[in-house]
Each structure stands twice: as C-alpha cells, then as structure tokens.
Amino acid sequence: MKKKKSDIKNLILDILCATAAGIIVGSAYYFFQNSNGFAPGGVGGLATITHHLLANRISWSILMVSFNLPIFILVSALIDKKLGVILSLYMVVQSFIPRLYELLGAKPYCLANNHEDFNIVFACIATGVISGFGFSLMLKRFGASGGTYGISALIKKMKPEMNIAYVSFIMDTCVVFIAFFVYGMKVTPVICTLLNLFIANIIVDHGLSGIKNGYKFEIVTNDPELLSKELINRLHHGVTSIQVHGMYSDTDKYMLVCIINKRQIGEMMKIIKGHPDTFASFEKVSEVFGNFKRHV
C-alpha cells in the first residue's frame, strides 16, 4: 500500500514538473524567441527554422509537435514507456503555451516595446535564462529535456557501441549553420543562436549542480576537541573527526571535516588563523543533502 501511494505521488510530481517545465520553456519561446529572428538549438531549432521558411503558414506549435512527438513515441515504444509519455506531455505543453498566449492577446517582447527599446541581444539572453531553467527542471528529474535526447537514446539502442556524446553538439551546429542561410545570410541571427545556446547551457549547469551548495573544509590539527567545539559554536554546523597519520612528521593527527555556507568562509578563516598549528584546505560542494544546518 505504501509503495502504491509513493508511486502515485511520484507520478503526480512527474506530471507537475513536466507541465511546469513546458510552461516555462514555451513562455520563453513565445515572448523572446519566436518573433525575433533566431532559433534555439536541437530539434526545436529545426522546427523554428521550418516555421520561418514556410512564412508562418503553418503554426509554430504544430511544427514543434510534428518534429518532436514522433521521436518521443519511439522512445516510449523502444526505450522507456513512462519517460516517453512524460516527454510527450512536456512537449505538448511547451508547444501550445505560445498558442494560448496568442489567444489571450499577450504581446511578445518585440511588439510590447517601442522599436527604439527593442534589443535582440536582450531577447537572446532572456530566452537562454528562462528556457535554461525549464531544461534544468526536466534534466534534473528525468535526465532528458527534448528531442535531441530522444534521438541519442534511439541511436544508442540500435548501436550500443556508438559514441553519442556529440549528438547534441552536431544538432546545435546544424541549427547554427542553417540559421545563417535561412535568416538572410546575416551574422546577427547566428550570433544570437550561439548566445542563446551558451546561456541556456550555463543555466542548466547551475540548475543541475544544485542551489543548496557549500564549501567543505578539511582541517588537520593536533587539538581536535578545542577546534571542533569552536567550529560548532560559531558556525552552527556539525564537524566530523578522522584520525590520520602525518607522514612528514611521522605523528598521529586528526582531520576535521566541516561543510559550511559561502557566507561563512570569512568566519572559518578567522577560526583557523586562531589555531596556528592547523593545516586546512577547502573545496566547493555542488549539492548538500540531509541535515546540513545544526539547530541551536
């Protein structure tokens, strides 16, 4: 019974996450990308370029579904049924959210501002930031965010020995190359497409690395009790003590491990400087789970 409830809860969360990500990405495309003369990467970019070539005679929403949905149906049939269904939901929401905005009369960025206030670079940045956030939601929960993933998974299914690491790169490169000729052989659309891809990838990287990050200090000391007590009292984080052996001095020592917030680095430095017999190093931790903060 508990497992069934857990499965239902996870399914609901999956649906909500896919729907939210679809709304976010679809909103970015409608307000900042579709009407500004540049394309996103991957399969969506090919759909956008086709929309431009057909002089808007076929709805962008229809083209997005037509390009992506067959891929996700194959993923559902050959790779993972649940993932294929979730990706299909995500793509349908992403594709028809712009149509909903049109029916509601919402104006995209290029029309909502006066001509002198419009800047295509701002549109690229906004598209990259907003869509990148939506992509990171999908990647973090499902490990996939679009048609490029589907193509990669299908290729891997048919030829497991093939290296598919460059599929996304090849897809994006094709979009950039085609965009140069489709948008009047101008450099600006190409730069905008590259800028959009670059920013979106940065946002995805940050989204996947986690919001709750920290810094791990490893402190070698001869007096672990006094130092750990001070760390706990002043920083309110737990400390782990590990017995180690110093090879240079050939003596037994202790290494204290403590993970803190970024804003506490200065305070940590002050504490360590108060114990001149210590040696410390630290590194960034991309994600922290569990009882990170000690309750006082």
Side-chain angles (χ1 to χ4, degrees), residues 13-29 60 64 86-98 101 127 129-142 144-146:
L13 290 175
D14 287 345
I15 292 172
L16 290 175
C17 181
T19 302
I23 292 173
I24 291 169
V25 177
S27 298
Y29 286 171
W60 177 85
M64 281 290 286
I86 288 294
L87 288 174
S88 298
L89 170 64
Y90 160 71
M91 184 52 57
V92 169
V93 173
Q94 177 193 133
S95 301
F96 287 99
I97 274 294
Y101 285 135
T127 303
V129 171
I130 299 171
S131 64
F133 178 64
F135 296 152
S136 66
L137 287 179
M138 290 296 294
L139 286 167
K140 195 160 190 176
R141 188 160 184 89
F142 308 108
S145 66

Side-chain angles (χ1 to χ4, degrees), residues 19-135:
T19 302
I23 292 173
I24 291 169
V25 177
S27 298
Y29 286 171
Y30 176 76
F31 287 107
F32 299 104
Q33 184 263 314
N34 287 356
S35 54
N36 292 323
F38 67 94
V43 178
L46 296 177
T48 301
I49 288 173
T50 303
H51 177 65
H52 179 81
L53 286 173
L54 295 175
N56 304 339
R57 286 193 293 270
I58 299 178
S59 169
W60 177 85
S61 299
I62 297 296
L63 289 172
M64 281 290 286
V65 171
S66 300
F67 274 66
N68 286 278
L69 203 55
I71 299 172
F72 296 146
I73 291 173
L74 289 174
V75 169
S76 181
L78 302 176
I79 310 295
D80 187 320
K81 183 177 180 180
K82 180 182 176 182
L83 180 60
V85 172
I86 288 294
L87 288 174
S88 298
L89 170 64
Y90 160 71
M91 184 52 57
V92 169
V93 173
Q94 177 193 133
S95 301
F96 287 99
I97 274 294
R99 181 58 181 160
L100 177 61
Y101 285 135
E102 288 180 7
L103 296 175
L104 294 175
K107 293 183 179 180
Y109 169 63
C110 63
L111 298 179
N113 293 272
N114 296 326
H115 180 72
E116 60 270 16
D117 295 329
F118 171 72
N119 190 316
I120 193 172
V121 176
F122 293 161
C124 294
I125 294 172
T127 303
V129 171
I130 299 171
S131 64
F133 178 64
F135 296 152

